[in-house]
Amino acid sequence: MSTKTELDLSHYTQLVAQQARAASRKLVSANGNQKNDWLRRMVELIQSRAPELLEANEQDIRQAPEFGLTEASIDRLRLTKARLQGIVTALEEITALPNPIGEIIGSNMRPNGLLVTQVRVPLGVVFFIYESRPNVTIDAAALCVKSGNAVILRGGKEAFHSNMALYGLLQQGLKDVGLPEQAVQLVETTDREAVGQFLKLNEYIDVTIPRGGKGLIERVARDATMPVIKHFDGICHVYLDKSADPDASEAITVNSKCQRPGVCNAAESLLVHADIAGSIFPRVAGALIEQGVELRCCPKSMELVSGTKAATEEDYGTEYGAKVMSVKIVNDIDEAISHIHKYGSGHTESIVATELAATEKFTTEVDSAAVIVNASTRFNDGGEFGLGAEIGISTDKFHARGPCGLVELTSYKYVAHGAGQIRE
C-alpha cells in the first residue's frame, strides 16, 4: 500500500481497528478445536508454500542495504528452511497447549450460596508492532488467536515482502477453518504515521505491544492511549561468582553472547568476581575473542587479557546486538548485583556458581524478568520456557513480565451464579 494522506490514514486505521474489534467479538466464542484446526492448517500451508516464502524473504534480503541494516539485523530478517521448520515447530507446540479461554482460575462458595468464579478471558484486540523478524508474524498471530484475541500486526518495512507472503497464508488458513478473517490483519502501509493513528484508537484496541528498538518503545509508551506491554532493552549480564566452575563459565558465557548476538536475550556484559579473575577470566576471554567478540574492559580486566579495549561508562548501559561485550571485575556478589541494578534493563541475568548461598542471594535480590542459574541467558524465551512461543519478553511488571505467551495475553472476569439471592 502506498503512502497515504493523513485523512486516508485516519480512515484506513480506523477501519482496520473496527474490523479487529468485530472479529474479536466472534473469536471469543470460538472453541479450542477450531483454533487448533487453524494452527494445524497453518503448518500445512507453510510447509507446502515454503518456496514462495523463501523467495519473498529473498526480496527483503536484497533490499536490506537500502535500509542500512547491520549484519545482526539481516540475520534476524533472514528466513531459511531451518527457520521455517522452527516456525512449524512453534505452531505445533502452541497447538498442544491447553486453550486458556474459559479456564476457571479460582472459585468460592459464599455463605449465602452465591458461587463466585474467576474465569480467564481474552484481552480483546492487540496492536502488535515489531521489527525485522518475519517468524514473529506467525508467532504473534498464533498466540493471539489461540488466546481469543484479534491482532493488528505492524511489521517493519525491511520485512514487508516476507510479512505479506506470511499474511496471505494466515488469511487463507482463517478462511479455510471458518474463523473471522479480520482476526489477523497486517498493516499494509509502511507509513510511520499509521502507528500514531492506531495509538489513538483506544475505543477499539485494548493493548499495544511494541517489540523493537528503544526509540520505538519510548514513542509508543508516550503516545499510546491504551495500556502498553513494553519490551525494553535487553542489557543482559552473566556473573561469574567466586565459586564458578571453569568449564561452565566458558560454555555459558560464550553461548550467552555468541549463539545469536543480535537477539534481546544475548548477554551484553560479563561480571567476574575478583577472586577468580586471574584464573577463569583469561580462559573465558580467550574463548570469546576466538569467536570474534570485541571485549570492552575495566582497567583490572584489561591487565589480564591483551587485545581488548577500555570500557566507558556508556558501554555498561549499551545493548550492542552484536559481537561486543563489556567486562567488569567486581569485588563480591553485592557489587555484581548493584552493577546489574544500575546498568541492567530488567531483562535477563545469569549467575554461574556452585555455592547455594550465592545462587539464592542472586535469585532473590536481582530484579529482572528472568534470573537464570548455571545456564545461558538465551533460555529466557517462550519456547524454551514451555510457552510454545512468545509475543515478546516484557520488562514491565504489569500486566505481564518475561516471555508473553498464551496466558499473558488473557485477563479474567468474575462470574457469579446465584439462586435468587438479593443483597440486604
Side-chain angles (χ1 to χ4, degrees):
M1 186 173 291
S2 59
T3 301
K4 296 172 173 291
T5 67
E6 186 173 347
L7 184 62
D8 287 339
L9 272 178
S10 178
H11 175 75
Y12 169 69
T13 54
Q14 189 155 45
L15 176 63
V16 169
Q18 288 172 339
Q19 289 177 160
R21 172 60 76 202
S24 74
R25 301 296 191 207
K26 298 176 183 177
L27 196 59
V28 72
S29 59
N31 63 46
N33 289 336
Q34 191 177 17
K35 291 184 284 190
N36 284 341
D37 285 345
W38 173 67
L39 292 168
R40 283 188 281 266
R41 179 62 178 141
M42 287 308 305
V43 168
E44 294 173 355
L45 289 170
I46 289 169
Q47 290 176 329
S48 64
R49 306 277 278 278
E52 296 172 37
L53 296 175
L54 294 176
E55 183 179 344
N57 181 248
E58 188 56 38
Q59 284 184 268
D60 290 326
I61 297 296
R62 286 197 298 269
Q63 291 183 353
E66 299 176 21
F67 300 117
L69 297 187
T70 65
E71 183 180 339
S73 297
I74 293 173
D75 177 64
R76 287 195 295 269
L77 174 61
R78 190 181 303 278
L79 285 177
T80 62
K81 289 182 180 179
R83 290 185 181 178
L84 286 179
Q85 182 55 46
I87 294 173
V88 165
T89 300
L91 286 169
E92 291 171 340
E93 290 173 349
I94 294 169
T95 305
L97 293 171
N99 175 28
I101 303 307
E103 175 193 355
I104 304 298
I105 301 170
S107 65
N108 73 94
M109 181 70 75
R110 304 302 300 146
N112 63 0
L114 197 67
L115 176 62
V116 180
T117 57
Q118 192 181 35
V119 183
R120 197 173 298 285
V121 298
L123 293 175
V125 175
V126 177
F127 178 38
F128 181 52
I129 313 168
Y130 57 109
E131 298 172 349
S132 295
R133 295 169 63 183
N135 65 294
V136 175
T137 300
I138 300 295
D139 287 352
L143 288 168
C144 285
V145 172
K146 176 134 184 179
S147 57
N149 298 287
V151 62
I152 301 168
L153 301 167
R154 173 54 156 86
K157 60 183 180 296
E158 68 279 2
F160 184 76
H161 297 96
S162 304
N163 288 336
M164 286 298 294
L166 291 165
Y167 177 52
L169 301 189
L170 289 164
Q171 291 282 286
Q172 182 179 333
L174 289 165
K175 184 177 180 180
D176 289 349
V177 302
L179 288 173
E181 291 177 54
Q182 285 77 29
V184 179
Q185 296 178 89
L186 181 74
V187 179
E188 297 182 40
T189 174
T190 58
D191 192 327
R192 294 184 65 187
E193 181 52 34
V195 171
Q197 295 287 342
F198 278 114
L199 294 178
K200 298 175 185 176
L201 299 177
N202 60 304
E203 68 267 42
Y204 305 115
I205 298 171
D206 295 285
V207 63
T208 292
I209 304 176
R211 178 171 168 173
K214 186 174 182 179
L216 166 68
I217 296 168
E218 287 178 338
R219 178 206 173 184
V220 171
R222 181 186 66 244
D223 295 346
T225 57
M226 68 288 292
V228 178
I229 299 176
K230 297 183 290 295
H231 171 132
F232 262 128
D233 296 350
I235 304 173
C236 307
H237 297 78
V238 174
Y239 165 58
L240 307 182
D241 186 60
K242 65 180 180 180
S243 65
D245 175 80
D247 292 339
S249 296
E250 178 182 339
I252 290 169
T253 305
V254 170
N255 185 262
S256 295
K257 177 73 258 184
C258 303
Q259 200 253 347
R260 281 194 76 183
V263 295
C264 62
N265 56 15
E268 303 291 8
S269 193
L270 174 64
L271 305 177
V272 185
H273 195 291
D275 288 2
I276 61 162
S279 57
I280 291 182
F281 175 62
R283 171 180 172 177
V284 173
L288 289 167
I289 292 169
E290 190 175 321
Q291 291 290 324
V293 177
E294 176 187 305
L295 297 178
R296 299 185 182 178
C297 295
C298 67
K300 290 181 181 178
S301 54
M302 279 191 77
E303 293 175 2
L304 297 170
V305 178
S306 60
T308 62
K309 292 185 177 182
T312 65
E313 183 79 6
E314 184 181 1
D315 282 316
Y316 292 117
T318 297
E319 181 179 13
Y320 302 108
K323 287 189 174 182
V324 182
M325 194 174 203
S326 62
V327 180
K328 172 80 171 177
I329 305 296
V330 294
N331 292 319
D332 52 34
I333 191 171
D334 288 307
E335 186 180 346
I337 293 170
S338 294
H339 183 98
I340 289 168
H341 287 164
K342 181 176 181 179
Y343 297 103
S345 58
H347 195 291
T348 310
E349 324 300 346
S350 175
I351 179 175
V352 183
T354 57
E355 289 183 359
L356 180 60
T359 60
E360 287 187 344
K361 181 179 180 68
F362 194 83
T363 56
T364 299
E365 296 185 16
V366 170
D367 187 21
S368 290
V371 183
I372 297 176
V373 178
N374 291 322
S376 172
T377 60
R378 290 282 289 115
F379 283 107
N380 186 10
D381 172 87
E384 296 293 340
F385 278 6
L387 307 183
E390 70 195 26
I391 201 167
I393 298 177
S394 170
T395 52
D396 275 347
K397 296 185 180 180
F398 304 101
H399 134 95
R401 194 179 198 191
C404 294
L406 292 175
V407 171
E408 289 71 30
L409 290 171
T410 67
S411 183
Y412 59 82
K413 65 183 175 185
Y414 286 95
V415 178
H417 292 270
Q421 291 93 331
I422 59 172
R423 185 167 180 177
E424 297 293 338

